[in-house]
Amino acid sequence: MQESFVPAELPRDLLEGVTLPPALMVLGTSSDAGKSLISAGLCRLFSRRGLNVAPFKAQNMALNSAVTDEGGEIGRAQALQARACGLRPDVRMNPVLLKPSSQTGSQVVVLGKARGFCRVHEYERLKPKLFHEVCHAYASLARGRDLMILEGAGSPAEINLKRGDIVNTNMAREARARMILVGDIDRGGVFASLAGTLALMEDWERELLDGFVINKFRGDASLLPPALEQVSRLTGKPFLGVVPWVEGLILPEEDSVAYRAGRILRRGTDEECPAAEDTLDVVLVDIPYLSNLSDIDPLLAEPGVRVRMVTRPEELGHPDLIILPGSRCTAAALRSLRSNGLEKSIKEEVRREGSGDILGICGGMQMMGTRVADPEGLEDSPGHVEEAFGLLPLETTLGEHKILRRSAAEDLVLGLPLSVYEIHHGKTETTPSLSSPVEGRSEGAALRIWTVNPEEQAHGWMLSRSKGQGIFWGTYGHGLFDDDVWRNAFLNDLRRRRGKNERKVCVSSPEKSLDLLADTLERHLDLEQLCTMLRLSF
């Protein structure tokens, strides 16, 4: 019989006597309720009004991460929220980042640096100590600010975890923050979710909660008032706004929930979609512990590009571009693709006359090599060696040292500069030759195509092939599609080789989306009530 485990209770009043600015915590009834984007929109809204605002999320569990200028790692959502405030990303904005490595454990990143792997019970025992560091980071970041926007995680009503929860209401109490609760009406059951979450809260938590926000509304708003009034009467809490579904946002998702729900098909209106025969068909291969999906976001808004996520061999088809994304566990991803038949289907597709390109990013690039060795047992048993696809003459050795850096690189093929960032444990080197997997059809050796300087490890490689077959590309550089000019050059080169019409640059800067999000919140939230509860005046 499995032993039951009760999380340790957190210390209290860690910030007693510290002068703190007004703070608002955005809670959600569930994951993907819209906490991250609502928080980003509020950051932009209040910063546009002249306030010195900063974002904060005590603990983030996500495989989408960003690298700060100093080489620290934080959640991608907090990097976006920093941008919304006009700030550079700071490790204090997300002091604890959990990167799942299995069903029961994660790599623990504290203040931007990896501290090792923890299983669930080990991490629960660690939380009281971590909470001291979290609160210290918050106090340091909040000093001199006019307003702090805090983001919760998941649901604050997970009663099996609440005692030791460092990210939701316990953090709000330490920060002396007011709270709002966001519910996603698009998935259904929003009124029960809001009322049920409140019912599972303790009295002191309900005291901190000032109201509800409905998010992602589509339809006739005149149908809502009777339900809003009834829920307010039952709970004693007002509704502070109904935020509509905002079309056309080009902002990174925090995790893969939305992608796997089918929303990865290009964003935008049907009128913007080009004729099918002129569309680039891009396949994103689904893998376990898929990380940094934000790499793909700019493609979702690109005219003439359709992106689809593939989980089974029969879905692959004959795409123009196959993307193998990063994974927190490369060997496990390889085994998964081998067992579900996708490795075989991908190899068959790239052998086909007229096949498209294949691009591996970070762990995806490691999978395209010949093997991945794990001498120290970072992702598997010590000494384990996993055979890879054999599409690029590259060998990867995983090491304990984690490479975190932002770099100005150069694409030696397209002749363009690139700004990329790296997050990986592996060191990848070229091997003398490539044989067999592509049946001797390769024409060129692997080339260093994305590099900082000759002394440093290359960011990426390419393998040109026989005429009529696509190119193999691999890179450690995350964020390469964020550069509008490079993305346009890469896609138009692919279009030329695939016999499709070229297109002009599509500008994908998130600035317009952040302003659109802030404009929407300004129209649909009761800002007067929010400012009153935060004791803010303009």
Side-chain angles (χ1 to χ4, degrees):
M1 181 176 177
Q2 187 174 0
E3 181 184 0
S4 61
F5 179 79
V6 178
E9 189 168 5
L10 298 178
R12 290 277 303 276
D13 302 322
L14 294 176
L15 298 179
E16 186 176 9
V18 178
T19 301
L20 296 173
L24 175 66
M25 173 169 276
V26 181
L27 298 170
T29 57
S30 66
S31 295
D32 200 36
K35 298 182 293 292
S36 295
L37 289 188
I38 293 288
S39 297
L42 289 171
C43 284
R44 175 54 61 94
L45 191 162
F46 284 115
S47 65
R48 287 194 316 196
R49 293 191 170 202
L51 296 185
N52 183 350
V53 190
F56 182 84
K57 185 168 184 174
Q59 171 196 288
N60 202 341
M61 178 176 281
L63 288 170
N64 276 359
S65 58
V67 177
T68 68
D69 291 346
E70 297 73 26
E73 189 175 6
I74 66 171
R76 187 78 178 181
Q78 280 62 63
L80 177 69
Q81 291 159 8
R83 182 168 186 163
C85 296
L87 302 173
R88 296 191 311 168
D90 186 314
V91 295
R92 295 173 298 176
M93 295 171 180
N94 176 208
V96 179
L97 174 63
L98 303 179
K99 305 190 78 172
S101 302
S102 69
Q103 296 292 331
T104 58
S106 300
Q107 182 185 58
V108 181
V109 178
V110 181
L111 292 172
K113 302 300 180 185
R115 286 203 185 167
F117 176 87
C118 276
R119 298 194 179 278
V120 173
H121 286 194
E122 294 168 336
Y123 181 66
E124 289 297 329
R125 294 188 184 97
L126 186 62
K127 277 183 175 180
K129 179 182 177 182
L130 283 179
F131 200 44
H132 283 269
E133 297 185 71
V134 164
C135 290
H136 178 76
Y138 180 83
S140 174
L141 180 66
R143 188 175 299 117
R145 308 284 180 189
D146 299 317
L147 176 65
M148 295 291 292
I149 301 293
L150 288 74
E151 182 188 340
S155 162
E158 305 291 356
I159 55 179
N160 57 317
L161 301 174
K162 279 176 64 174
R163 190 166 181 258
D165 180 30
I166 68 174
V167 63
N168 289 306
T169 54
N170 288 324
M171 186 65 228
R173 177 166 56 185
E174 291 296 319
R176 298 191 278 282
R178 305 308 302 174
M179 306 189 308
I180 60 173
L181 181 63
V182 176
D184 176 4
I185 198 170
D186 189 59
R187 66 174 59 192
V190 69
F191 298 111
S193 298
L194 292 167
T197 299
L198 194 71
L200 290 174
M201 284 183 166
E202 298 178 35
D203 289 342
W204 68 266
E205 295 173 300
R206 284 190 282 267
E207 291 275 337
L208 295 180
L209 185 71
D210 286 313
F212 303 133
V213 172
I214 285 182
N215 193 28
K216 306 181 189 178
F217 178 73
R218 295 191 267 198
D220 185 351
S222 67
L223 298 174
L224 289 177
L228 303 182
E229 292 165 9
Q230 186 173 352
V231 172
S232 288
R233 283 197 305 271
L234 286 170
T235 62
K237 301 294 181 182
F239 279 84
L240 300 172
V242 177
V243 179
W245 186 283
V246 186
E247 295 286 357
L249 289 181
I250 307 171
L251 295 171
E253 300 284 353
E254 183 170 23
D255 51 36
S256 60
V257 172
Y259 292 87
R260 290 191 171 100
R263 292 184 218 147
I264 195 162
L265 298 181
R266 69 178 310 277
R267 297 168 183 168
T269 63
D270 291 338
E271 290 75 22
E272 294 172 335
C273 293
E277 62 272 10
D278 199 36
T279 301
L280 280 177
D281 182 26
V282 177
V283 157
L284 176 67
V285 180
D286 193 8
I287 55 177
Y289 309 109
L290 200 157
S291 62
N292 282 71
L293 265 175
S294 51
D295 287 335
I296 312 302
D297 283 322
L299 294 180
L300 303 186
E302 185 72 38
V305 175
R306 181 181 67 147
V307 183
R308 52 193 178 90
M309 180 173 268
V310 163
T311 59
R312 298 188 299 272
E314 58 268 25
E315 299 169 343
L316 186 64
H318 304 305
D320 299 300
L321 175 65
I322 297 172
I323 296 178
L324 283 168
S327 172
R328 179 66 188 85
C329 298
T330 305
L334 279 165
R335 289 193 291 269
S336 174
L337 294 177
R338 198 159 288 141
S339 65
N340 67 16
L342 266 172
E343 179 192 33
K344 179 182 178 183
S345 295
I346 290 170
K347 285 184 175 181
E348 289 174 351
E349 173 59 20
V350 300
R351 292 189 189 106
R352 185 181 61 84
E353 191 69 31
S355 62
D357 289 10
I358 180 168
L359 166 66
I361 302 175
C362 199
M365 180 199 68
Q366 294 173 353
M367 286 187 275
M368 290 178 67
T370 57
R371 64 179 212 152
V372 178
D374 191 359
E376 299 178 36
L378 291 179
E379 297 182 0
D380 224 302
S381 57
H384 180 78
V385 176
E386 190 73 36
E387 295 301 313
F389 282 13
L391 302 180
L392 283 172
L394 304 172
E395 290 186 352
T396 297
T397 301
L398 302 181
E400 189 172 353
H401 174 64
K402 190 172 191 177
I403 295 173
L404 295 165
R405 65 182 176 189
R406 303 187 66 89
S407 301
E410 182 183 3
D411 183 333
L412 303 179
V413 175
L414 297 176
L416 292 170
L418 264 176
S419 178
V420 294
Y421 62 97
E422 294 182 61
I423 307 174
H424 59 92
H425 282 278
K427 181 178 181 182
T428 298
E429 298 176 318
T430 56
T431 57
S433 62
L434 181 70
S435 60
S436 168
V438 288
E439 297 179 349
R441 293 175 181 262
S442 304
E443 282 190 339
L447 303 176
R448 289 168 67 110
I449 58 166
W450 293 307
T451 184
V452 181
N453 60 57
E455 286 72 41
E456 290 194 17
Q457 183 180 3
H459 282 289
W461 297 264
M462 70 164 286
L463 187 68
S464 60
R465 306 174 63 216
S466 299
K467 189 175 180 180
Q469 288 192 308
I471 295 172
F472 295 157
W473 308 84
T475 179
Y476 267 129
H478 291 291
L480 69 164
F481 286 123
D482 293 344
D483 186 303
D484 296 329
V485 175
W486 183 88
R487 185 180 68 255
N488 188 70
F490 178 86
L491 293 176
N492 277 337
D493 175 70
L494 180 59
R495 288 181 176 112
R496 284 192 296 271
R497 290 185 285 107
R498 302 296 289 169
K500 300 180 187 292
N501 294 325
E502 295 184 31
R503 286 179 171 267
K504 295 181 180 179
V505 173
C506 169
V507 178
S508 65
S509 168
E511 292 300 318
K512 289 184 178 179
S513 291
L514 287 169
D515 282 331
L516 174 59
L517 189 57
D519 292 342
T520 303
L521 297 184
E522 199 159 20
R523 288 194 303 270
H524 294 280
L525 292 183
D526 187 342
L527 288 182
E528 184 177 349
Q529 179 65 16
L530 274 176
C531 291
T532 298
M533 50 189 254
L534 292 169
R535 296 187 176 90
L536 293 175
S537 59
F538 298 97

